[in-house]
Amino acid sequence: MEFRDLKKQYQVLKPQMDAAMMEVTNNCNFISGKQVAELEQKLAEYVGVKHCVTCGNGTDALTMVMMAWNVKEGDAVFVPAFTFFASAEVIAFEGATPVFVDVDESTFNMDAEKLDQAIEQVKREGKLNPRAVIAVDLFGQPANYPEIEAVCKKHGLLLLEDGAQGFGGRIGEHRACSFGDAATTSFFPAKPLGCYGDGGAVFTNDDETAEYLRSIRVHGKSPVSKYDNIRIGFNSRLDTLQAAVLQVKLDAFKEHELTDVNNAAKLYTQYLGNDFRTPVVPEGFYSSWAQYTLILDSPEQREQLQKTLKEQGIPTMVYYPKPMHLQGAFADLGYREGDFPVSEELCKRVVSLPMHPYLSEEDIRFVANAVKAALK
Ligand SMILES: *Cc1c(COP(=O)(O)O)cnc(C)c1O
């Protein structure tokens, strides 16, 4: 069994996928081919924002927004303590200071009340200038944007949605990657919408930001010429081949994958029954299920479960074993164990089960029964 079955997906999409990839190789328009602009338009339309600017990966997408907002040394940017490293890394990369915020134990996402308290504290201390918030749609579920947006508005901070895992999610009728002042996603192969290598995108309704992003992803070019450089940028483009792959995948995502992965989640929860802490999706929220994650009683129980499942050929993963504030790279920020108890507990007790749109009901039942038997 695969944790995320990309081979099965390719077998299903093979005719369209091979044709799309062959078209690129036949035309040899490997960089900035027409597939890239086509994809950007389709993504913007699907998400419901004015601009989509694709780039080399999800980390560059976050970095490009930090650059567009001129986030710099002396600035505080608030980010959850429980996330993938890149969400916080991009803040430090600009010389700014990541300020960590604990998460809600049932949704795994940033706690808006604790965000408010963290901003108040930074203001009281008066050393850093509160500038922005990066909220993360962890495991496919949008963060609580109605609450987080209100806190940002109250304090006059910019809001960036890190939708690397959230593409396809919704709050009411609003799709993930449409929240805040800008949003980003990643097309890393294992994400809800993945390509066949690295890729990413920024979404925004702001014309000026979009123009800036289109410039810095190609060495700070001017709107008219690649050889007229009006600012310092870098090189971060989405390859034509990846754009072609993503057009085929986006069709499948819209037609059935998002529905199928939601059905898979429903079946897991049903088969696992009431004896486990299964994922919680609040009323009005819709997840794209980047992960299906259980909370166990202890690290020992988790270790035993992973070992038992492995013996039966069932892969599991721990996302994430270490919270941001205890990462060696952030040691100089002076955080300590106990600072973010919810994130720390989750790191010790969560485990993710195989999850993807091509999981059969039989496989789900097999995994659920193996989990139940292992924890008896
Ligand atoms: C994967 C991921 C990123 C980074 O995306 P890459 O394409 O791998 O650079 C950023 N934030 C989160 C939450 C992620 O899961």
Side-chain angles (χ1 to χ4, degrees):
M1 192 181 297
E2 302 273 332
F3 187 74
R4 188 167 186 92
D5 201 343
L6 297 174
K7 288 178 196 149
K8 177 90 183 282
Q9 184 193 42
Y10 174 60
Q11 287 311 317
V12 172
L13 304 178
K14 191 171 173 13
Q16 308 93 293
M17 192 59 88
D18 288 356
M21 292 196 291
M22 283 310 290
E23 193 191 336
V24 179
T25 50
N26 280 324
N27 292 331
C28 296
N29 56 346
F30 300 113
I31 303 289
S32 308
K34 71 173 187 343
Q35 287 88 339
V36 178
E38 283 169 8
L39 175 73
E40 289 179 340
Q41 191 170 352
K42 286 178 185 179
L43 288 170
E45 206 171 291
Y46 177 75
V47 164
V49 299
K50 202 163 165 195
H51 304 282
C52 169
V53 181
T54 54
C55 61
N57 57 68
T59 307
D60 281 358
L62 292 165
T63 293
M64 283 162 64
V65 176
M66 292 290 100
M67 288 167 74
W69 292 350
N70 191 26
V71 168
K72 57 186 182 304
E73 198 179 339
D75 290 344
V77 179
F78 301 82
V79 66
F82 188 57
T83 182
F84 178 60
F85 188 64
S87 313
E89 179 183 33
V90 297
I91 301 164
F93 193 74
E94 298 305 310
T97 303
V99 177
F100 301 117
V101 177
D102 214 349
V103 297
D104 180 277
E105 65 170 348
S106 63
T107 63
F108 308 125
N109 281 329
M110 182 184 260
D111 184 322
E113 209 176 300
K114 288 177 185 157
L115 169 64
D116 189 42
Q117 291 163 2
I119 299 168
E120 296 283 2
Q121 192 182 333
V122 168
K123 282 184 163 173
R124 259 197 317 275
E125 287 171 358
K127 288 187 206 131
L128 296 168
N129 177 26
R131 279 293 310 282
V133 172
I134 301 181
V136 180
D137 302 344
L138 208 70
F139 305 155
Q141 175 153 257
N144 193 331
Y145 291 103
E147 287 182 22
I148 292 170
E149 276 170 357
V151 174
C152 289
K153 205 164 174 190
K154 174 179 157 193
H155 293 285
L157 303 193
L158 291 159
L159 175 58
L160 168 54
E161 175 188 6
D162 179 354
Q165 302 179 17
F167 190 85
R170 274 192 278 114
I171 304 177
E173 293 308 304
H174 297 280
R175 280 195 211 275
C177 299
S178 73
F179 299 104
D181 300 283
T184 61
T185 199
S186 162
F187 303 124
F188 182 84
K191 307 280 163 139
L193 181 66
C195 62
Y196 287 170
D198 277 313
V202 182
F203 299 86
T204 183
N205 285 314
D206 189 74
D207 297 341
E208 226 174 282
T209 304
E211 193 185 312
Y212 176 88
L213 297 171
R214 291 196 174 101
S215 166
I216 55 166
R217 74 172 165 182
V218 187
H219 308 290
K221 73 180 181 71
S222 78
V224 289
S225 166
K226 197 170 141 177
Y227 301 108
D228 177 25
N229 307 88
I230 55 175
R231 55 174 70 85
I232 299 299
F234 57 10
N235 175 12
S236 186
R237 291 175 292 231
L238 183 74
D239 292 348
T240 310
L241 199 56
Q242 301 304 346
V245 166
L246 283 165
Q247 287 197 32
V248 175
K249 291 239 206 165
L250 179 62
D251 283 343
F253 189 84
K254 290 195 281 196
E255 279 163 22
H256 66 94
E257 285 186 354
L258 186 57
T259 317
D260 292 348
V261 83
N262 269 275
N263 285 335
K266 210 176 284 172
L267 287 171
Y268 258 137
T269 303
Q270 197 177 305
Y271 282 121
L272 284 165
N274 297 327
D275 298 337
F276 302 97
R277 285 188 62 185
T278 50
V280 175
V281 181
E283 183 77 34
F285 284 63
Y286 187 78
S287 177
S288 57
W289 297 102
Q291 303 298 338
Y292 186 91
T293 303
L294 301 177
I295 308 176
L296 302 177
D297 294 337
S298 66
E300 295 76 28
Q301 192 189 46
R302 177 170 76 184
E303 202 172 313
Q304 184 226 322
L305 175 67
Q306 288 196 283
K307 185 168 161 278
T308 313
L309 293 186
K310 195 177 172 192
E311 284 161 8
Q312 296 169 68
I314 302 169
T316 58
M317 300 291 276
V318 173
Y319 298 120
Y320 294 93
K322 199 183 247 197
M324 289 304 105
H325 64 292
L326 301 180
Q327 294 288 351
F330 294 131
D332 59 349
L333 295 177
Y335 288 98
R336 263 184 273 150
E337 200 159 347
D339 284 344
F340 303 104
V342 178
S343 297
E344 289 169 28
E345 271 304 298
L346 292 173
C347 288
K348 287 180 190 146
R349 288 164 45 196
V350 289
V351 68
S352 301
L353 303 179
M355 189 59 170
H356 57 84
Y358 299 89
L359 209 56
S360 68
E361 179 161 358
E362 202 183 322
D363 282 345
I364 294 167
R365 199 184 320 127
F366 175 65
V367 175
N369 286 338
V371 170
K372 286 201 249 185
L375 298 182
K376 263 252 159 68

